[in-house]
Amino acid sequence: MPKRYKIGLIGGGQIGGILALMIAQRELGDALVVDIPQKEGLAKGKTLDIMEMTPHYGTDVNLSGTSDFSQLKGCDVIIITAGVPRRPGMTREDLLDVNLKIITSVAENIKKHCPDAFNIVLTNPLDAMVYAFYKLTGFPKNRVIGMAGALDTGRFRAFVAMETGYSVEDITAPVMGGHGPTMVPLYRLATVGGVPLTEILSQEKIDAIVQRTRQAGTEIVKLLANGSAYFSPAASALEMAESYLKDKKRIIPCSALCEGEYGVQGYFIGVPTVIGAGGVEKILEIKLTPQEKEALQETLEAVKKAVADTKL
Ligand code: APR
């Protein structure tokens, strides 16, 4: 029997609201936004507003808001944005204590009410929060993933497009590592229409783009002054959800549990993943140069420190 996908959005704030909007615009499925009781009105109000927008798009979806986690039953995908965003001057790690408490309660609720979904975590500090969610739920590793690299590669591609004037569609620019300033944009493998980026831009320009990519989240936090990015994180998470729901087997850099890949043992860190109906179906291993390996080791240390702070 044909079915409509059901997508659970935990957190109806900036990213959660945009996710609901994008799901409705693309008619990807029905969406349920779950927030805390004090914010139930926000979840209900945003989803109702979007429902009233759908006639203008001609899309048929059901959106609703609640604070009742039991309504998540039967969701195919759950996208978690519950948590506090950064303010200017804060690092992602500054959010750890407060967001760990939130992830703990969210993990308990999802385990109880919807244990079979594919779970995408966005809450920061990302690599530590997805690790915590995995540990607290005990879900299999193929059904827990963190959204970071999808966003970082999108930012990298956008900056290359801005610099070269060529279409974003034809630019590939992989990024690995933790979601923070130590991430590793692999410019050596970046291409524009198949032409290596290193043959198109000077090393100086590439270095500037790499640096901007590493600081892209902070650049937005400074500009917004009262929160962090939300349009691009929502689009990135949806790309991952769509690859799972449609079994597209897209190769997207994501924070996935490594058990030996790249020499990483037992940590979630940004690696190229294949996302299909089986969830995280595979981690692709790229042969790295000694310099890239060193950079990956450095970013791993940053992730390990944040994970140690979770005490899980
Ligand atoms: N259960 C459900 N929702 C919760 C919970 C909880 N236990 N705790 C908080 N929330 C909700 C908040 O009430 C709020 O509506 O999560 C929402 C977060 O929304 P925003 O504050 O607007 O934050 P947003 O910009 O969406 O970012 C969310 O994603 O990228 C990360 O760093 C970012 O950690 C932050 C998260």
Side-chain angles (χ1 to χ4, degrees):
M1 198 174 83
K3 73 168 256 183
R4 259 203 220 180
Y5 298 125
K6 182 176 171 187
I7 302 163
L9 304 175
I10 317 299
Q14 297 285 32
I15 305 177
I18 298 293
L19 272 167
L21 172 70
M22 289 176 171
I23 288 167
Q25 285 171 325
R26 289 154 79 150
E27 209 176 49
L28 189 59
D30 295 335
L32 177 74
V33 177
V34 187
D35 210 302
I36 51 176
Q38 304 89 298
K39 293 284 181 78
E40 190 174 59
L42 183 81
K44 284 186 188 298
K46 282 191 183 181
T47 48
L48 181 59
D49 193 9
I50 295 169
M51 285 296 285
E52 293 167 8
M53 178 208 74
T54 55
H56 302 287
Y57 279 86
T59 55
D60 293 300
V61 286
N62 289 314
L63 267 63
S64 54
T66 183
S67 61
D68 174 11
F69 275 83
S70 72
Q71 289 186 33
L72 286 173
K73 191 169 180 291
C75 277
D76 301 286
V77 172
I78 292 186
I79 305 178
I80 301 158
T81 64
V84 173
R86 280 195 287 169
R87 305 265 180 250
M90 290 175 93
T91 66
R92 293 181 178 89
E93 283 65 32
D94 291 335
L95 305 170
L96 193 133
D97 291 343
V98 50
N99 282 352
L100 180 59
K101 284 200 189 93
I102 292 173
I103 285 294
T104 304
S105 111
V106 166
E108 269 170 32
N109 275 303
I110 294 178
K111 195 174 170 183
K112 185 162 165 204
H113 299 292
C114 190
D116 298 318
F118 181 58
N119 297 274
I120 304 172
V121 177
L122 274 73
T123 307
N124 274 311
L126 191 273
D127 305 282
M129 291 302 106
V130 63
Y131 175 93
F133 183 83
Y134 167 74
K135 285 278 172 186
L136 293 162
T137 56
F139 290 163
K141 66 173 181 177
N142 63 313
R143 288 202 285 107
V144 178
I145 196 164
M147 191 296 293
L151 172 60
D152 300 327
T153 191
R155 286 170 165 162
F156 193 177
R157 289 168 63 198
F159 297 147
V160 170
M162 287 178 205
E163 181 60 42
T164 60
Y166 298 134
S167 169
V168 284
E169 270 192 85
D170 300 314
I171 297 167
T172 54
V175 178
M176 286 182 61
H179 186 50
T182 58
M183 73 178 73
V184 188
L186 292 174
Y187 67 84
R188 176 178 63 92
L189 302 174
T191 57
V192 180
V195 181
L197 182 63
T198 48
E199 290 176 22
I200 290 187
L201 291 179
S202 67
Q203 190 62 43
E204 196 186 352
K205 289 232 161 85
I206 292 176
D207 288 346
I209 289 174
V210 163
Q211 196 46 27
R212 190 172 182 192
T213 302
R214 288 191 165 131
Q215 294 294 339
T218 305
E219 185 180 358
I220 302 265
V221 168
K222 272 193 199 144
L223 289 167
L224 295 180
N226 65 350
S228 50
Y230 43 93
F231 293 111
S232 52
S236 305
L238 219 53
E239 210 169 48
M240 294 161 64
E242 198 165 14
S243 190
Y244 169 74
L245 292 171
K246 298 184 178 173
D247 192 21
K248 283 169 74 86
K249 303 197 193 299
R250 291 209 44 205
I251 298 159
I252 305 176
C254 295
S255 188
L257 182 69
C258 290
E259 289 179 316
E261 294 89 351
Y262 295 97
V264 178
Q265 197 57 256
Y267 289 94
F268 280 78
I269 194 159
V271 284
T273 60
V274 179
I275 303 180
V280 184
E281 296 189 347
K282 195 174 174 188
I283 292 173
L284 294 187
E285 293 213 62
I286 303 170
K287 265 198 192 125
L288 300 178
T289 65
Q291 202 184 9
E292 289 161 352
K293 276 187 191 160
E294 203 178 303
L296 192 64
Q297 196 53 41
E298 193 186 322
T299 189
L300 178 63
E301 293 310 316
V303 169
K304 280 185 178 173
K305 193 180 167 304
V307 166
D309 289 343
T310 68
K311 301 191 173 60
L312 289 167

